Amino acid sequence: MATFPITKRGAELLKLELQRLKTQDRPAVIAAIAEARAQGDLSENAEYEAAKDRQGFIEGRIAEVEGKLAAAQIIDPAALDAGGRVVFGATVELEDEDSGDAVKYQIVGEDEADLKLGLINVGSPIARALIGKEEGETAEVQAPGGVRRYEIVAVSYL
């Protein structure tokens, strides 16, 4: 199984989700199945079918999260020393050369990405354009509206 990168914070979030699934969601769905089963005829019991579907989803998600954690390569951005280069886990401050707009992104794994929080997937076009570059360089990103150019203002490892 191939490993995939994830930040330390992202791994902690997955561990918390796994704990919640096992200690709260799984017991709740088991109780819902038992309650629906107590109502009698299972062939026409919508509550039973819904609970079984929910149980299948929860068990699938537990297996998925356990697999991701087993294959994860956990990277602590604060422990990185990439010499000012943009690498996985780095926080990058950019300035759009056309509009002058400033943005700040952290390059994270697929499961952690959330653009609203400034967390971009390492496989995204902008992250791929930034990886390996240093402060002061320009990155060209192929966007749906055409090529965008960003100047790398600062690189930090938080």
Side-chain angles (χ1 to χ4, degrees):
M1 179 182 278
T3 62
F4 68 96
I6 188 168
T7 63
K8 188 176 179 181
R9 185 180 66 70
E12 291 301 319
L13 290 174
L14 280 179
K15 288 176 186 174
L16 286 173
E17 180 184 0
L18 183 62
Q19 180 181 0
R20 179 185 49 83
L21 286 167
K22 286 183 171 182
T23 61
Q24 294 174 8
D25 295 356
R26 182 188 270 167
V29 79
I30 289 171
I33 289 171
E35 183 179 318
R37 210 179 249 151
Q39 294 176 6
D41 186 12
L42 299 181
S43 64
E44 295 180 13
N45 190 330
E47 289 84 10
Y48 177 76
E49 291 300 321
K52 289 298 282 184
D53 288 346
R54 178 85 177 126
Q55 182 184 35
F57 173 79
I58 290 170
E59 295 302 326
R61 184 64 184 156
I62 287 172
E64 181 182 359
V65 172
E66 286 176 337
K68 286 180 179 187
L69 286 171
Q73 177 187 2
I74 300 172
I75 297 171
D76 183 2
L80 292 175
D81 183 19
R85 281 191 352 256
V86 178
V87 295
F88 179 86
T91 300
V92 186
E93 292 179 40
L94 306 171
E95 183 177 311
D96 188 316
E97 288 189 349
D98 293 334
S99 66
D101 293 341
V103 291
K104 186 175 184 178
Y105 296 123
Q106 181 179 17
I107 300 173
V108 298
E110 180 181 339
D111 290 317
E112 318 169 66
D114 186 346
L115 192 56
K116 291 175 188 160
L117 299 176
L119 305 172
I120 59 172
N121 182 353
V122 69
S124 69
I126 191 164
R128 289 194 318 258
L130 293 171
I131 297 283
K133 300 230 183 314
E134 295 181 2
E135 192 174 308
E137 290 188 53
T138 300
E140 290 186 2
V141 179
Q142 184 64 46
V147 176
R148 306 283 305 251
R149 296 172 53 85
Y150 293 96
E151 180 184 344
I152 300 172
V153 177
V155 179
S156 55
Y157 312 101
L158 308 173

